[in-house]
Amino acid sequence: MGGSLATECSAKSETEKLHNCEDHDDPVRLTDTTVKKVTLEQHLSALDNRPPDAGDANVPCASTSTNHTFRTDNSDTKALDSSEDAKRQLLLIEEEVRSFAVKYRKVSSHRSDLSAETRVFFEEKIGSISDELRRLTRQVSVSTTSTESVMQTAYLGMRKRRFKSLRDVVRKVTTEIRIARILESWTEMTTPRRPGSASMETEMETSLISKNDMDVWDGVDVLDLDQKSHEPLFQIFMTIWQSQKMSLLVKARMQKVQEYVRAVEAGYHRANPYHNNAHAAEVTLMTYQIWSYLSAGSFKGYFEQVDLLVVLLAAAIHDIGHPATNNDFLVKTKTELALRYHDTAVLENFHLATAFELMRSRSVSMLDHNLPSPPVTSLRRRIVEIVLATDMAVHKKQVDEMVRLVERNVNRQEIDKRTLEQYIVHTADVGHPFRPVPQHHEWARRVNEEFLAQGDREKELGFTPIEMFDRDKAPPLPKNQLGFLQFVIQPLWKPMEALLDSKARPASLFLHRNIKVWQEELEPEA
């Protein structure tokens, strides 16, 4: 989180500098007697043509008696030598891009009313400015070392320092992030939406649900979404991605992100009764909801956007390629997977390998981001730990550890983040009892069907399945589920309920209702 802190401090510093430099008596004006409007293209051109070392200059703020202008004539190009002027220009460019994007979206939504000449004009100008931004991004990247190397140099003195102070490091990093953000905003917000294009299709498809729907605990029925869209994971994942503006954090282009998410969804076996793409969507949704509720409560300021990236990806990939049998089946039948992973967390290791191999084959790194820290290797390690923690073999250990942490830490923000994010995804993985009764009953029916199908296969291979997996000996579904809810889910939920506080009420209410309904169904049979 040190990188984010640096960025925040830098932003605050820039705001103070602008405030101190501002001339409150005179309006901003050009030195020329003729008032000229400085366009976005002129801003970009001026910034792009500044001397390479301008960003390193530590020029003090001009006094308030000086007119603060952005000059466009050749005699005034020396003004761009000031890093402060460059930063103020970046801020103005960013604001202008946002303003233009709003207007352009309104215009482009009525493309049929535009003449062919006007459409060509828009496309040519937008393409030209996009090229300028990309060229500028490359220049900044070349003129600076990697952010990781910069931080190592500043903090650890690992080699000869290229910067005079940490303040200079922060300035460099902040400038690079800001330019990247402008480029991403410009690209995403101004790309013309042609009928039938991938971007337009995504916008229409994700409109099936909204952030407001997902913010309500029972606002989205994933089973219903699956029936309507046939790609519930894509719907859930991309709605979260867009509503949380993850594209400003992650370097991967939106098209590549969409391709990867669709490839992940295709990696789930839809024919599986339970461990399919709908289950992945449900776990991703509940992970997001728990994460959001915690962030709005006693964990406000505890999580960062990069933490959401970690749990979101982990939830989406956590069961990819699941064969509808458990680890015990794979081990005792001596499958290739069991041999490859030494009979330890076989499926969990397989899911991780499949997901990361998919990233490699698709040439997309979902973890490359625009922040100075944490490094990608750290994020990848966290995802590995989260998915490994979905193994039910470590369920009791996780519950005991979280109970201990909750009891010991009155200040919730002292709880270890890695432990908490593992617990969030694990809770979501088995969390269907926290949904409304009809949804929970359907999930329970599906998982029971998958268990019995595995039992049938075990018998065919000459093995004796456990009673719960034996179609001829298994207890009634209400009895099975009552045992699961009372002895597995309730202990799991207790520490999470304490962390969520009042936000836990809807889930707790549904859990109690589901227990009551199973009890009522069991009584007539008894």
Side-chain angles (χ1 to χ4, degrees):
M1 290 192 289
S4 298
L5 254 171
T7 304
E8 183 180 341
C9 291
S10 175
K12 181 179 179 183
S13 174
E14 298 310 321
T15 303
E16 290 174 351
K17 289 175 186 174
L18 288 173
H19 178 72
N20 293 335
C21 291
E22 189 175 355
D23 186 348
H24 296 284
D25 297 325
D26 298 323
V28 176
R29 57 182 184 271
L30 297 168
T31 53
D32 191 355
T33 56
T34 304
V35 177
K36 299 178 181 179
K37 182 178 179 181
V38 182
T39 66
L40 174 61
E41 196 164 15
Q42 287 171 318
H43 278 315
L44 292 170
S45 178
L47 185 57
D48 196 20
N49 293 324
R50 65 187 172 91
D53 295 326
D56 292 331
N58 189 11
V59 179
C61 180
S63 66
T64 55
S65 61
T66 304
N67 289 333
H68 307 294
T69 61
F70 297 112
R71 309 175 191 276
T72 59
D73 56 289
N74 293 332
S75 63
D76 293 322
T77 55
K78 291 184 178 179
L80 292 176
D81 291 342
S82 167
S83 62
E84 304 303 328
D85 282 346
K87 289 171 188 174
R88 285 196 290 271
Q89 278 195 307
L90 272 177
L91 290 170
L92 287 175
I93 291 170
E94 187 172 17
E95 191 65 33
E96 193 168 345
V97 165
R98 290 174 179 168
S99 176
F100 171 77
V102 172
K103 297 175 183 177
Y104 180 70
R105 275 287 175 83
K106 291 180 180 179
V107 172
S108 61
S109 64
H110 302 286
R111 290 180 61 84
S112 58
D113 297 335
L114 299 177
S115 65
E117 182 180 358
T118 302
R119 288 198 296 270
V120 169
F121 172 81
F122 275 133
E123 291 173 1
E124 287 181 351
K125 289 299 180 184
I126 289 172
S128 173
I129 296 173
S130 297
D131 291 340
E132 291 291 332
L133 281 167
R134 291 191 184 94
R135 183 157 54 250
L136 179 58
T137 303
R138 288 195 295 270
Q139 287 178 354
V140 172
S141 298
V142 169
S143 66
T144 62
T145 58
S146 70
T147 53
E148 184 176 358
S149 299
V150 168
M151 289 302 176
Q152 288 174 345
T153 301
Y155 284 117
L156 306 177
M158 295 177 65
R159 62 187 184 193
K160 185 176 179 181
R161 299 189 178 206
R162 297 179 58 191
F163 302 95
K164 296 179 180 179
S165 66
L166 179 60
R167 181 182 178 185
D168 291 336
V169 175
V170 172
R171 181 184 294 115
K172 278 280 188 181
V173 172
T174 304
T175 301
E176 186 170 358
I177 291 173
R178 186 168 289 143
I179 292 173
R181 188 167 64 238
I182 293 172
L183 175 58
E184 183 69 28
S185 298
W186 176 262
T187 302
E188 294 299 333
M189 297 168 69
T190 62
T191 300
R193 305 296 179 88
R194 296 182 176 86
S197 67
S199 55
M200 173 168 277
E201 289 175 3
T202 299
E203 186 172 289
M204 293 174 63
E205 290 161 355
T206 54
S207 67
L208 289 174
I209 53 176
S210 69
K211 180 180 182 298
N212 291 336
D213 295 329
M214 295 191 301
D215 287 342
V216 178
W217 185 257
D218 58 339
V220 177
D221 181 348
V222 169
L223 295 169
D224 180 62
L225 182 63
D226 184 29
Q227 293 295 317
K228 291 178 178 177
S229 70
H230 304 295
E231 51 177 12
L233 178 58
F234 181 83
Q235 292 280 329
I236 294 293
F237 191 98
M238 293 311 304
T239 300
I240 297 171
W241 190 272
Q242 292 172 353
S243 68
Q244 295 297 314
K245 298 182 175 23
M246 300 299 288
S247 289
L248 300 183
L249 170 71
V250 178
K251 291 183 178 179
R253 295 183 61 81
M254 180 68 78
Q255 182 182 355
K256 299 296 288 185
V257 173
Q258 293 169 348
E259 288 176 2
Y260 179 73
V261 176
R262 281 200 160 103
V264 168
E265 184 150 29
Y268 282 87
H269 301 301
R270 296 170 187 265
N272 290 352
Y274 181 78
H275 288 100
N276 52 32
N277 58 317
H279 168 68
E282 171 64 26
V283 175
T284 302
L285 172 62
M286 189 174 291
T287 293
Y288 167 74
Q289 290 176 322
I290 295 175
W291 186 91
S292 298
Y293 288 2
L294 289 172
S295 299
S298 56
F299 288 86
K300 190 172 184 179
Y302 175 90
F303 290 114
E304 310 239 2
Q305 191 181 29
V306 72
D307 300 323
L308 176 59
L309 174 65
V310 168
V311 296
L312 194 63
L313 275 172
I317 70 168
H318 84 284
D319 271 336
I320 185 173
H322 200 291
T325 54
N326 61 18
N327 282 332
D328 181 64
F329 177 87
L330 298 177
V331 170
K332 69 183 176 182
T333 56
K334 299 179 181 179
T335 62
E336 181 182 346
L337 285 180
L339 294 174
R340 181 185 304 168
Y341 298 115
H342 311 293
D343 298 345
T344 304
V346 177
L347 283 172
E348 290 72 27
N349 279 297
F350 168 64
H351 302 321
L352 286 162
T354 302
F356 286 119
E357 170 59 23
L358 202 54
M359 282 189 200
R360 188 194 65 79
S361 65
R362 294 270 171 172
S363 300
V364 53
S365 177
M366 297 288 288
L367 298 176
D368 279 340
H369 57 82
N370 293 312
L371 299 178
S373 66
V376 171
T377 52
S378 173
L379 301 183
R380 185 181 184 279
R381 183 68 238 172
R382 286 163 64 182
I383 290 177
V384 169
E385 291 171 351
I386 291 172
V387 175
L388 290 177
T390 61
D391 186 354
M392 287 301 293
V394 296
H395 167 82
K396 187 177 185 304
K397 179 182 177 181
Q398 282 195 84
V399 173
D400 291 344
E401 175 65 9
M402 188 54 64
V403 168
R404 185 183 65 82
L405 289 174
V406 170
E407 291 176 348
R408 189 170 63 178
N409 295 289
V410 178
N411 179 1
R412 303 306 193 197
Q413 299 206 9
E414 292 180 0
I415 291 176
D416 179 68
K417 183 179 287 186
R418 288 194 172 197
T419 303
L420 180 56
E421 62 191 13
Q422 291 167 31
Y423 204 78
I424 290 172
V425 177
H426 176 52
T427 300
D429 190 23
V430 294
H432 57 83
F434 307 122
R435 294 305 191 193
V437 174
Q439 293 178 40
H440 164 59
H441 273 220
E442 176 59 20
W443 288 117
R445 184 195 67 77
R446 291 184 177 203
V447 73
N448 189 63
E449 179 184 340
E450 197 167 284
F451 287 166
L452 296 178
Q454 176 180 318
D456 294 341
R457 291 181 63 186
E458 290 185 46
K459 288 181 179 180
E460 292 173 0
L461 295 171
F463 295 101
T464 302
I466 62 173
E467 187 177 277
M468 188 171 65
F469 287 28
D470 192 326
R471 198 177 296 274
D472 300 320
K473 300 178 181 178
L477 182 58
K479 185 176 180 179
N480 259 343
Q481 284 300 303
L482 266 179
F484 177 63
L485 268 58
Q486 291 174 334
F487 299 111
V488 177
I489 296 302
Q490 282 188 316
L492 171 75
W493 183 243
K494 187 176 179 180
M496 183 61 75
E497 187 177 35
L499 297 179
L500 287 167
D501 198 22
S502 61
K503 291 284 188 178
R505 183 169 180 178
S508 298
L509 180 63
F510 288 132
L511 175 59
H512 291 307
R513 284 181 181 173
N514 284 316
I515 290 175
K516 184 178 179 181
V517 170
W518 288 124
Q519 288 173 334
E520 291 172 351
E521 289 187 17
L522 188 61
E523 286 173 1
E525 296 180 11

